[in-house]
Amino acid sequence: MKAWWDTLSTRERGLLAGGVVLTLLVLFYLLVWEPFQTSNRRLRQSVAEQRADLAWMRQAAQEVKRLHGIAGAQPTDGRSLLTLVDQTARAAGLGNALKRVAPQGDDKLSAQLDAVEFDKLIPWLGALEHDYRITINSLSVDRTDIPGQVNARLVLGGRP
C-alpha cells in the first residue's frame, strides 16, 4: 500500500485524501449524527406526550377526589344498614319482592327478593353502591317462569 501511495503524484494524493475525508464525514453523518437526531426528536415528542398524559391524569385525579368527596358526603341520617336497605328497596318499588332481610354481623346483611323485576333490581343495586357506598359482596340471580322477573339472593356489606 505504501509503495502504491508513493507512486501517486501530490495532486492525486490530495484528491484521494480529500475523498477519504469527505467519505468519512458522510459516513459519520449517516451512521451517527442522523440516527442520533432522529432518536432525539422521537424522545422529545414522547416526553411532550407523556407530559400531556400527566397533566390529564392530575386533572382526572382531582376530579376523582372531588367526586369521591361528594359520594362520601351522602347523608345516611345515622340509619342502620338494615333500615337503609329496606327503605331504599321500598322507594325503588321492590317492597313486595323483598321477602327476607337478615343481619350477618355488624356490617353485613343478606337479602332475598322473589319475583322481582330485573329492570328495577339493577338500578336499585347501583344506587346502593353509588349513593350509599354499600358493597355487594355476593349476588345470585335466578330466572323465573315470568319473563323479566328474577329471584335474587344477595349479601351486602356496610359502608367503609
Side-chain angles (χ1 to χ4, degrees), residues 128-147:
L128 286 177
E129 280 194 333
H130 183 264
D131 296 342
Y132 300 101
R133 297 175 56 201
I134 295 173
T135 58
I136 300 170
N137 294 337
S138 71
L139 173 64
S140 172
V141 179
D142 299 317
R143 224 180 335 185
T144 64
D145 295 334
I146 302 171

Side-chain angles (χ1 to χ4, degrees), residues 96-122:
N96 293 336
L98 190 62
K99 298 300 178 192
R100 184 176 67 87
V101 178
Q104 291 185 341
D106 291 337
D107 63 344
K108 289 185 183 177
L109 63 83
S110 64
Q112 176 181 341
L113 293 100
D114 291 333
V116 63
E117 290 182 43
F118 186 77
D119 291 341
K120 288 184 179 180
L121 175 66
I122 298 304

Side-chain angles (χ1 to χ4, degrees), residues 16-150:
L16 194 58
V20 167
V21 168
L22 184 62
T23 302
L24 289 175
L25 286 173
V26 168
L27 286 175
F28 174 78
Y29 178 80
L30 291 175
L31 298 175
V32 176
W33 187 255
E34 184 60 28
F36 174 75
Q37 289 298 321
T38 302
S39 175
N40 189 14
R41 278 191 299 272
R42 192 176 321 119
L43 289 174
R44 286 181 188 269
Q45 182 180 359
S46 174
V47 166
E49 290 170 358
Q50 290 178 356
R51 283 186 177 151
D53 288 346
L54 177 62
W56 178 84
M57 285 183 206
R58 285 183 175 157
Q59 179 184 2
Q62 297 255 336
E63 182 72 8
V64 166
K65 285 179 184 176
R66 184 184 69 80
L67 291 175
H68 183 68
I70 290 171
Q74 291 293 332
T76 59
D77 303 332
R79 294 182 282 181
S80 70
L81 182 60
L82 182 74
T83 304
L84 188 63
V85 167
D86 184 59
Q87 288 176 352
T88 57
R90 293 186 193 290
L94 305 176
N96 293 336
L98 190 62
K99 298 300 178 192
R100 184 176 67 87
V101 178
Q104 291 185 341
D106 291 337
D107 63 344
K108 289 185 183 177
L109 63 83
S110 64
Q112 176 181 341
L113 293 100
D114 291 333
V116 63
E117 290 182 43
F118 186 77
D119 291 341
K120 288 184 179 180
L121 175 66
I122 298 304
W124 174 65
L125 293 174
L128 286 177
E129 280 194 333
H130 183 264
D131 296 342
Y132 300 101
R133 297 175 56 201
I134 295 173
T135 58
I136 300 170
N137 294 337
S138 71
L139 173 64
S140 172
V141 179
D142 299 317
R143 224 180 335 185
T144 64
D145 295 334
I146 302 171
Q149 290 190 350
V150 295

